[in-house]
Amino acid sequence: MTKVKSPSLAAFFLFLISYTSTLYAEGAKALAASGYSENWYSVSQTQTITFKTSDGDVTIALHPTLAPKHVARFKALIKAGFYDNQYFYRVVEGFVAQAGSNDSHDVSKFDPTLLSAIPAEFTQPLTTNIKAVESTDMFAPTTGFLDGFAVGMDNQRNEMWGLHCPGTVAFARNSEKDTASTEFYVVIGQAPRHLDRNMSVVGRVVEGMNVLQQLPRGKNENGGVIEPLTEHSKIQRAFIHSASALHYYIQTPRHPEYQKRINTGKHLDNPFFHDNTYGPRPIDVCYYQTKTTTTPW
């Protein structure tokens, strides 16, 4: 019998890299198909939308469980081209970027049902996909995440609601609760948690917060409304992603990296810190948000 020559070490490592890459690709494909894993939530392309601007794209992941009627309206408006050539017309430093038409649209161009008021969806029943993180919060009995989306929870009332963390997307409304229709906003500054349970949250930004931070700001005395509007505030086009588009993933709080982060936040177990007199410290889930990626790790 002829003796088979052993492969070189370099050849072995090339094989190992190729094999690992194949397994990784297959794993990512399976994750995308399942929509959920222990560590990552795969956002369906049908729930992923992008707003194109002159400074780049803003991509948003929607979660219908948070506000099903508002999510459906958002997508219907995008399909109808409502936001194309509209603007982020109200931008308040450290607060929100609000977008839409500011009632300047031609109502004859759209189905009246697309412009009608939507019943408020401030809270929803608790679901099994929720993961509690903190029970000592200033604005909620418990805070945590629904598939990586920050939420507040009240077990006694069987309720959950989207939190106003940086990157949160919600519908704007008038003082009356059932008056949201077409306008939306994105939190671009500190978390305005006083709005929790008073606005209908539809999702979170997964890419493009840096683009939003480049938007012109309106004057405070004008409520942040920008005058005059320029190309730098303009939404060139809005669209829902196709089935072949890039997948986005949102980290779940079960991910080891997230667990390590909040453990450090609670106990300051890092050589940088020297005083933990008041530990363990509560976790602000708006500061310790779950991460987003196009390549789960």
Side-chain angles (χ1 to χ4, degrees), residues 75-87:
K75 292 166 66 177
L77 287 164
I78 291 171
K79 288 179 181 178
F82 181 86
Y83 298 110
D84 296 353
N85 299 312
Q86 295 294 348
Y87 295 87

Side-chain angles (χ1 to χ4, degrees), residues 31 57 179 189 219 238 245 264 289:
L31 179 61
D57 294 350
T179 52
K219 294 181 179 179
T264 298
Q289 287 208 69

